Amino acid sequence: MATSFRIRAAGLAAALSGLLFVLFGLVYYCFTHGSTGVGRNDTLFGLDYGEYGRMQVVWPPLLALSLAAYGATQIPGAGGRARTGLRIALVGLGLQVIGDVLQYWVSDPDIPSEF
């Protein structure tokens, strides 16, 4: 794969993950905290807060893919701090996915004691 294609793909994946974060994360936050005209337990576009929360696992892998593609092209010539920072970012995104899976698929968000 050409380096310029990887950089473009990394940028596209990062932009898409940011858009999905805003759609699933920000809309979810406003929806569940009553920050909009929608009531706390209503549905928004036919989805409730638990379903929005379950979709949170979509954007971290896209951002990780973007960072990995960027790292494959730019990091080899960089120093040790850049490689360490990339690894820390990838581990953090992995922990985000694990936390979302545990919060929305292992426990039931509709039961307050589990949530």
Side-chain angles (χ1 to χ4, degrees):
M1 240 190 267
T3 301
S4 62
F5 177 76
R6 281 189 205 160
I7 293 296
R8 287 187 185 104
L12 182 62
L16 185 59
S17 68
L19 178 67
L20 292 175
F21 170 75
V22 168
L23 289 177
F24 299 149
L26 187 63
V27 169
Y28 165 74
Y29 179 81
C30 290
F31 179 62
T32 58
H33 289 81
S35 301
T36 62
V38 178
R40 272 186 176 277
N41 294 322
D42 290 344
T43 60
L44 182 65
F45 304 119
L47 301 173
D48 66 358
Y49 65 93
E51 291 164 335
Y52 276 107
R54 287 181 188 99
M55 289 188 284
Q56 289 283 359
V57 299
V58 174
W59 68 266
L62 278 175
L63 188 57
L65 178 67
S66 172
L67 286 174
Y70 179 77
T73 58
Q74 302 297 318
I75 298 297
R81 287 184 183 173
R83 286 189 292 275
T84 302
L86 178 66
R87 288 184 195 118
I88 290 171
L90 292 174
V91 167
L93 289 169
L95 290 173
Q96 172 76 33
V97 170
I98 290 170
D100 288 338
V101 167
L102 289 174
Q103 185 174 1
Y104 294 104
W105 274 295
V106 174
S107 65
D108 188 359
D110 294 325
I111 301 173
S113 62
E114 289 189 19
F115 192 66

